[in-house]
Amino acid sequence: MDAKKFAICVVAAALLAFSGCATSPEDERRRQDMEADIDEILGYELDEAEYGTPKNCLSTREYRSFRPLGDRHLLFEGRNDKLWVNMLRGRCLGLEDDSRFIMRQNMSGQTCAKDLFEVMDRFDPISSAGMGPTCILGEFRPVSKGQVAEIEDRLDMR
């Protein structure tokens, strides 16, 4: 294949790939409204004596698992029913309920704000080509089970 045909194929493939990423203004407005609702839910004041204060890091021994809440938040589930929501430093496109990801552990045995994680492609989880976007963690905010239930209800309405 000559260079011109190859370039046309590359451009066409890129356009097809990116056309699936476009959202309508209405979809974008709904997403922003949902994000505003989640931010409001996370803004509820909790008793610091019971829930603690926001943290920049969690020891890897403090949590058992984590899972996405939309494309901008991760829920970290800890021991003794402790819960934290991490508001990512930006949207993490491709992050979905059934996403699998690789958390890059730092040397301190902690997961911290500004640490990176990669979302694995659900259709190609084996090869390095199957890696999705790299996303950045933010602050860990303690949350109640009620807040998590409200966030999940809001996400289910989308």
Side-chain angles (χ1 to χ4, degrees), residues 16-152:
L16 285 173
F18 289 119
S19 67
C21 298
T23 59
S24 72
E26 186 176 303
D27 289 341
E28 183 60 21
R29 183 185 48 75
R30 273 197 301 268
R31 187 196 65 75
Q32 289 174 348
D33 289 347
M34 182 180 60
E35 286 296 325
D37 289 349
I38 292 172
D39 289 343
E40 181 181 338
I41 294 166
L42 292 175
Y44 298 165
E45 289 196 33
L46 300 175
D47 179 10
E48 286 184 17
E50 184 175 353
Y51 293 98
T53 59
K55 300 179 173 191
N56 281 324
C57 296
L58 291 179
S59 164
T60 53
R61 292 184 302 262
E62 284 184 90
Y63 64 90
R64 296 184 313 259
S65 62
F66 50 90
R67 61 184 168 88
L69 293 174
D71 62 5
R72 177 114 189 199
H73 301 87
L74 291 179
L75 174 66
F76 283 75
E77 298 174 286
R79 295 169 182 6
N80 301 321
D81 294 327
K82 291 279 189 182
L83 300 169
W84 297 270
V85 167
N86 188 285
M87 184 169 169
L88 305 176
R89 291 185 145 328
R91 287 178 63 203
C92 187
L93 301 176
L95 190 60
E96 298 182 19
D97 292 342
D98 60 348
S99 292
R100 297 195 346 246
F101 25 121
I102 298 173
M103 190 72 66
R104 294 183 185 173
Q105 298 297 320
N106 63 38
M107 300 298 279
S108 68
Q110 297 183 327
T111 301
C112 296
K114 299 183 183 175
D115 282 355
L116 304 174
F117 68 93
E118 295 175 275
V119 180
M120 296 174 68
D121 185 333
R122 288 180 287 169
F123 303 108
D124 184 12
I126 307 290
S127 74
S128 61
M131 297 308 293
T134 298
C135 305
I136 305 171
L137 293 173
E139 180 181 63
F140 295 89
R141 300 183 62 156
V143 293
S144 68
K145 288 181 181 179
Q147 284 174 296
V148 172
E150 280 189 63
I151 291 169
E152 290 173 331

